[in-house]
């Protein structure tokens, strides 16, 4: 039916919009609340990982939606841990030489190193939990989120129109010194092109598939399309905070 095709994208959009907003909302709260936010998020993540393991051989519609949702919940923990400043990198200062590319890149890597290593470790854990299972939606989803977020970070480093400083909390404002402001960079069109090719291939495969396999492919493809939209928004005149103003607090000076 038409709902078999419409429901997965609608569900992915809702999870993407609401999940992003909740992370921003929690990050905008007073810093003494961060420990509670992280503690609750950690408990949810442990439950999500158990759910991912149990859903690895669940080929029903519910199994596809559960794996997708749980992968996004685990990803949300990493985002929250980063934005609260709990899991970033060994460097917590502004760039010492913004005009010197190699220095800026080296220091930029140091600002996010622990965060990136934690994501890789979690990705390996999810792949291990679902290894050999018929339901790989969780692994696909988490891997996709990592690749597209890594692409966005490279594009921010190379330079885009909307650098997204508005999303940075006061204690992470130093990260903006590693971004460049340009109308566009050479990597962005390639990122969008590669992502579009993969998205089209996944949607085509979903059309040829049936049942839960179709649902899983459409869920992951929908998240990829949303990630591509985020990439395009990096170079458009639209304000990047347009969709999440309800979750953002007014900017305050860094201490």
């Amino acid at each position: 039916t038409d709902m078999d095709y419409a429901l997965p994208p609608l569900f992915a959009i809702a999870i993407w919009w609401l999940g992003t907003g909740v992370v921003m909302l929690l990050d905008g709260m007073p810093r003494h609340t961060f420990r509670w936010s992280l503690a609750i998020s950690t408990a949810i993540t442990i439950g999500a990982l158990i759910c991912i393991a149990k859903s690895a051989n669940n080929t029903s519609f519910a199994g596809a939606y559960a794996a997708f949702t749980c992968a996004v919940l685990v990803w949300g923990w990493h985002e929250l841990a980063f934005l609260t400043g709990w899991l970033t990198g060994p460097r917590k200062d502004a760039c010492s030489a913004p005009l010197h590319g190699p220095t800026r890149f080296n220091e930029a890597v140091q600002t996010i190193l622990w965060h990136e290593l934690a994501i890789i470790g979690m990705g390996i854990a999810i792949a291990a939990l679902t290894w050999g299972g018929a339901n790989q939606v969780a692994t696909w989803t988490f891997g996709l989120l990592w690749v597209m977020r890594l692409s966005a970070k490279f594009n921010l480093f190379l330079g885009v129109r909307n650098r997204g400083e508005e999303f940075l909390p006061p204690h992470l404002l130093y990260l903006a010194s590693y971004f460049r402001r340009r109308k566009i960079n050479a990597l962005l069109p390639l990122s969008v092109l590669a992502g579009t090719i993969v998205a089209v291939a996944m949607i085509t495969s979903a059309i040829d598939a049936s049942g839960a396999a179709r649902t899983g492919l459409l869920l992951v493809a929908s998240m990829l399309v949303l990630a591509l939209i985020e990439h395009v928004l990096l170079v458009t005149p639209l304000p990047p905070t347009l969709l999440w103003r309800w979750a953002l607090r007014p900017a305050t000076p860094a201490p």
Side-chain angles (χ1 to χ4, degrees):
T1 64
D2 291 341
M3 285 305 295
D4 291 338
Y5 291 96
L7 190 57
L10 291 174
F11 185 81
I13 291 170
I15 289 288
W16 166 76
W17 176 76
L18 184 61
T20 302
V22 167
V23 169
M24 292 178 185
L25 197 62
L26 292 174
D27 188 52
M29 296 180 72
R31 295 194 69 172
H32 66 81
T33 66
F34 289 174
R35 66 180 66 182
W36 296 108
S37 298
L38 283 168
I40 294 171
S41 179
T42 300
I44 292 173
T45 297
I46 292 171
L49 289 170
I50 294 172
C51 178
I52 287 172
K54 290 184 175 296
S55 67
N57 289 303
N58 186 340
T59 56
S60 67
F61 290 100
Y65 280 103
F68 177 80
T69 304
C70 289
V72 174
L73 288 172
V74 174
W75 181 263
W77 180 90
H78 285 274
E79 290 292 289
L80 186 63
F82 178 76
L83 288 173
T84 55
W86 184 75
L87 187 64
T88 54
R91 183 176 178 83
K92 301 182 185 297
D93 300 299
C95 184
S96 64
L99 299 179
H100 188 255
T103 299
R104 187 164 64 95
F105 180 80
N106 180 56
E107 293 181 354
V109 170
Q110 292 180 48
T111 63
I112 60 172
L113 184 60
W114 306 146
H115 173 63
E116 290 298 326
L117 291 176
I119 290 176
I120 293 171
M122 185 64 77
I124 293 172
I126 291 175
L129 289 173
T130 61
W131 189 262
N135 181 0
Q136 292 293 315
V137 173
T139 303
W140 295 344
T141 303
F142 194 86
L144 166 73
L145 289 168
W146 176 61
V147 170
M148 294 308 290
R149 181 52 58 88
L150 198 61
S151 170
K153 288 174 180 174
F154 275 114
N155 278 288
L156 282 168
F157 178 83
L158 293 172
V160 291
R161 179 170 184 164
N162 289 322
R163 302 192 305 175
E165 297 99 328
E166 302 90 341
F167 294 113
L168 292 175
H171 52 275
L172 292 182
L173 284 176
Y174 63 87
L175 291 175
S177 66
Y178 298 95
F179 307 159
R180 287 189 66 186
R181 190 179 299 280
R182 300 168 62 185
K183 289 184 178 180
I184 196 170
N185 67 76
L187 176 63
L188 188 66
L190 295 176
S191 300
V192 174
L193 177 61
T196 301
I197 292 172
V198 174
V200 170
M202 293 185 71
I203 293 170
T204 302
S205 297
I207 293 172
D208 294 334
S210 60
R214 173 188 294 163
T215 299
L217 284 166
L218 287 175
L219 284 168
V220 180
S222 299
M223 188 61 80
L224 175 53
V225 171
L226 291 169
L228 290 171
I229 291 173
E230 288 183 339
H231 274 62
V232 173
L233 289 175
L234 292 173
V235 291
T236 63
L238 294 173
T241 59
L242 185 64
L243 294 173
W244 295 284
R245 283 178 179 167
W246 59 274
L248 289 171
R249 291 183 173 236
T252 54

